[in-house]
Amino acid sequence: GDSVTQMEGPVTLSEEAFLTINCTYTATGYPSLFWYVQYPGEGLQLLLKATKADDKGSNKGFEATYRKETTSFHLEKGSVQVSDSAVYFCALSDQNQGGKLIFGQGTELSVKP
Amino acid sequence: DAGVIQSPRHEVTEMGQEVTLRCKPISGHNSLFWYRQTMMRGLELLIYFNNNVPIDDSGMPEDRFSAKMPNASFSTLKIQPSEPRDSAVYFCASSLGQFQTQYFGPGTRLLVL
């Protein structure tokens, strides 16, 4: 079945460092890909998405490119801030699976001043 | 506009008691999803509805769990009887359509003693 694999955390960075969180997927169809962010004690917020190959999603300085050839959707940010500390979830939605979201295990990011 | 509303935000109950979680989707959204988040299993879909009709309940753990959507603006997830292993954060999400972007509520943190 469809699945999402993320790099394990926690990831600890200093402020202004470059961030990469790896995400790869397995899907039978042509999924849409998402990054959600969960701040402590809160629900999930959509960070960005891409619906087809080579699309780039971007928001708040974060970006990710849908790479069909490597089945990847890595999240990047050029300069992280303390306020970016959160858990990041990669997810896919496949029409063959009725549109439900399948999540990776989440990657905790901690940014130190 | 108001986002997805869930109640209660926190629930502590004793084993064997009935628990009812509530969700109000974003107005105009036709699809509603219930997810559960635990440390062991991550985020997993329990059930989803389209136009108030349950479409896929294959993620519901067992008969102790039931979900209803009596109208377009309200859904419940009930656990009867509750067990300690049901302790988790339960999220409700809604979307314009089955294959559209899902928006999450703040979650209900359930603790069964």
Side-chain angles (χ1 to χ4, degrees):
Chain A
D2 292 3
S3 65
V4 175
T5 302
Q6 289 179 236
M7 64 185 286
E8 289 192 18
V11 174
T12 302
L13 296 173
S14 297
E15 208 165 20
E16 299 184 2
F18 185 87
L19 168 71
T20 299
I21 300 178
N22 290 338
C23 171
T24 57
Y25 68 90
T26 303
T28 54
Y30 299 95
S32 295
L33 302 174
F34 305 83
W35 278 100
Y36 281 85
V37 58
Q38 184 177 30
Y39 297 101
E42 298 185 11
L44 280 76
Q45 300 177 25
L46 178 66
L47 182 58
L48 54 84
K49 68 177 184 179
T51 58
K52 62 183 187 298
D54 300 325
D55 270 2
K56 178 186 284 188
S58 61
N59 186 26
K60 300 181 181 179
F62 291 89
E63 57 182 37
T65 301
Y66 188 142
R67 301 286 188 199
K68 189 170 183 293
E69 64 276 12
T70 55
T71 62
S72 64
F73 193 54
H74 304 321
L75 182 68
E76 295 181 336
K77 186 175 185 182
S79 176
V80 294
Q81 306 300 312
V82 173
S83 57
D84 295 326
S85 298
V87 181
Y88 292 81
F89 291 91
C90 185
L92 70 81
S93 174
D94 187 344
Q95 292 201 7
N96 292 341
Q97 297 288 324
K100 67 183 182 183
L101 282 169
I102 296 171
F103 288 91
Q105 68 271 37
T107 302
E108 182 180 357
L109 170 66
S110 178
V111 181
K112 306 298 185 186
Chain B
D1 286 340
V4 176
I5 298 172
Q6 291 187 247
S7 65
R9 293 293 307 275
H10 302 272
E11 177 80 28
V12 180
T13 190
E14 292 187 347
M15 183 174 63
Q17 296 298 305
E18 178 179 296
V19 175
T20 299
L21 312 181
R22 297 172 176 79
C23 175
K24 178 178 169 56
I26 294 171
S27 178
H29 281 194
N30 297 324
S31 297
L32 184 141
F33 305 78
W34 282 100
Y35 292 87
R36 179 171 67 175
Q37 184 179 35
T38 61
M39 290 294 292
M40 291 296 295
R41 300 175 64 89
L43 274 157
E44 51 184 351
L45 177 71
L46 300 177
I47 185 171
Y48 74 93
F49 297 82
N50 273 349
N51 296 315
N52 313 337
V53 176
I55 302 300
D56 182 354
D57 65 354
S58 59
M60 296 285 263
E62 48 198 272
D63 292 346
R64 298 185 297 106
F65 285 69
S66 62
K68 295 182 179 180
M69 193 164 186
N71 57 62
S73 59
F74 183 66
S75 177
T76 59
L77 178 67
K78 186 176 294 186
I79 308 172
Q80 167 64 17
S82 58
E83 296 182 4
R85 60 192 167 124
D86 301 331
S87 298
V89 182
Y90 291 81
F91 289 105
C92 177
S94 72
S95 62
L96 278 171
Q98 185 175 343
F99 303 110
Q100 303 300 312
T101 300
Q102 296 177 29
Y103 296 88
F104 283 72
T108 295
R109 188 173 297 274
L110 173 65
L111 177 61
V112 183
L113 301 174

